Every structure is written in C-alpha cells, then in structure tokens.
Amino acid sequence: MSWKNSKQLVVDANVGQGSSNDKMFNPVLEDSGSQSRQCLQAIWEERHVAVFSGNLRDEWGRHASSYAKRWLRNMEQKCRIIEEDGERFAELAIPACACLSTAGEKAALAKDLHLIQSALATGQLILSNEVRFPRFVALACGAVQELVSLYYANPTVEGDRCRLWIKAGAEKDADRRIDVWVENHLKSD
C-alpha cells in the first residue's frame, strides 16, 4: 500500500496487551493473542499510521506486551505515529455519558473517551478488543451525532476477518460503522 493510501487508526492498549508475548504466539492458531498480534503486523505491513493520545500512550506503557512495545518503537522510528488528544471533542463526554443508564456504564465510557476524541480528530478508525465500549458508543450515537462517524474493528471478536480488513486498506465500510458493527457482532444482553 502506498503512503497516500495509509489510514490512521487509534489502536487501543488492549490490542497491545492482547498481542501476547513471543513464547505464547503461534501464527497458526486463532487465539486472541495471535489475532491481536497479526493485526499489529498488518498495520505495519500496510504502512498505516497509529494514533495515540497522551492517555493511550500511558496505557500502552503499562500494559503492552513485549511484542507490542517493539512494534510501537518500530512505528515511531518510521514516523508512523500521530500524537492527537482530540481535545476539541471533549465536550461530547457529557451528552454521550448521559445516554447510559448506570453509573458504571457512564464511568466506563468516560474512561475510554480519549479513544473517541483521538479517532474523531484523525481517521475515525478504532481498533480495540473491547466489547462494552462499542456498545456504549452505539447507545450514544442517537444523541451525539458525531459518534456515527466512528468505525470499529475488533481482533478478538472478528478473528482473521479483522486482519484481512486492515490488509485490504482499512476502509470505512458501512458495516464497520460503530453502531452497525455492534448490531452485527454483539448479541443483545
């Protein structure tokens, strides 16, 4: 893929943490560690750009596997990291959290609002192993129209389909829009 076709993806720390270590990785198996690792490798191979807020960078520092930390260093060396906090989208926190019914749900969404802010300020793409987070965002889409412009991918839920999407250019396909993704991939509780 050429540089001009590369995409900007917010890569959640749980993908870095979930990429497992060298001893656990088996490229033939479809465990979640392998899936996360293969998605990071696909981002590297396709010359996509990773987007980090200050909060996300701190989370990666605390939780990323040794493989993910090497991946991040390599991305930095090739200038394929964008630092973006997306502060201009901070005002979305109150109306987005107001759509949720419990204090726990509101706190969980508020904790990960930095992912939303960074994505809205860049390529609108989020790669994460979370399942609660996209549900909360989908619930808030009706009240906070900006959230409908977010697109989502999850290595743990999707398996190799997620890696193949990254390899094919990480396009903003209609079925990747975060509310549609939740509807198609997560059963209602």
Side-chain angles (χ1 to χ4, degrees), residues 22 24-31 33-35 37-38 160 163:
D22 297 328
M24 294 171 48
F25 177 62
N26 182 341
V28 177
L29 296 178
E30 292 193 12
D31 62 57
S34 294
Q35 294 299 335
R37 186 181 187 128
Q38 289 174 5
D160 199 46
R163 180 190 67 84

Side-chain angles (χ1 to χ4, degrees), residues 124-154:
Q124 295 87 33
L125 301 171
I126 300 172
L127 180 69
S128 175
N129 286 323
E130 280 281 337
V131 291
R132 290 177 52 208
F133 168 74
R135 277 190 178 127
F136 298 155
V137 175
L139 288 171
C141 279
V144 183
Q145 199 58 41
E146 293 90 341
L147 301 180
V148 177
S149 66
L150 295 173
Y151 293 81
Y152 194 76
N154 185 312

Side-chain angles (χ1 to χ4, degrees), residues 21-54:
N21 64 35
D22 297 328
K23 294 176 184 169
M24 294 171 48
F25 177 62
N26 182 341
V28 177
L29 296 178
E30 292 193 12
D31 62 57
S32 61
S34 294
Q35 294 299 335
S36 292
R37 186 181 187 128
Q38 289 174 5
C39 284
L40 291 177
Q41 184 62 32
I43 290 169
W44 172 258
E45 290 169 356
E46 298 307 316
R47 298 185 177 137
H48 294 304
V49 175
V51 178
F52 285 86
S53 66

Side-chain angles (χ1 to χ4, degrees), residues 3-184:
W3 288 104
K4 69 178 185 173
N5 293 327
S6 68
K7 301 298 186 302
Q8 300 170 344
L9 294 100
V10 174
V11 183
D12 196 357
N14 58 30
V15 175
Q17 181 180 25
S19 65
S20 69
N21 64 35
D22 297 328
K23 294 176 184 169
M24 294 171 48
F25 177 62
N26 182 341
V28 177
L29 296 178
E30 292 193 12
D31 62 57
S32 61
S34 294
Q35 294 299 335
S36 292
R37 186 181 187 128
Q38 289 174 5
C39 284
L40 291 177
Q41 184 62 32
I43 290 169
W44 172 258
E45 290 169 356
E46 298 307 316
R47 298 185 177 137
H48 294 304
V49 175
V51 178
F52 285 86
S53 66
N55 287 344
L56 185 55
R57 178 70 77 152
D58 292 343
E59 288 178 8
W60 265 73
R62 288 190 311 271
H63 302 297
S65 71
S66 58
Y67 171 83
K69 288 178 181 177
R70 281 192 310 274
W71 175 86
L72 182 55
R73 278 193 306 275
N74 289 338
M75 293 286 286
E76 289 172 328
Q77 289 172 352
K78 294 294 183 182
C79 299
R80 291 174 42 201
I81 299 291
I82 293 175
E83 301 287 339
E84 177 60 68
D85 287 331
E87 282 299 315
R88 66 186 178 275
F89 296 102
E91 77 249 4
L92 301 179
I94 293 171
C97 290
C99 297
L100 303 175
S101 43
T102 70
E105 290 174 347
K106 292 175 186 189
L109 181 59
K111 177 187 86 61
D112 284 333
L113 191 69
H114 62 95
L115 301 174
I116 294 169
Q117 291 175 209
S118 293
L120 288 173
T122 58
Q124 295 87 33
L125 301 171
I126 300 172
L127 180 69
S128 175
N129 286 323
E130 280 281 337
V131 291
R132 290 177 52 208
F133 168 74
R135 277 190 178 127
F136 298 155
V137 175
L139 288 171
C141 279
V144 183
Q145 199 58 41
E146 293 90 341
L147 301 180
V148 177
S149 66
L150 295 173
Y151 293 81
Y152 194 76
N154 185 312
T156 301
V157 171
E158 297 176 53
D160 199 46
R161 191 167 166 256
C162 186
R163 180 190 67 84
L164 293 173
W165 169 74
I166 294 168
K167 295 289 285 178
E171 297 297 331
K172 295 179 189 173
D173 302 323
D175 64 335
R176 291 245 171 237
R177 199 176 82 182
I178 198 161
D179 56 335
V180 176
W181 187 93
V182 167
E183 188 177 307
N184 291 340

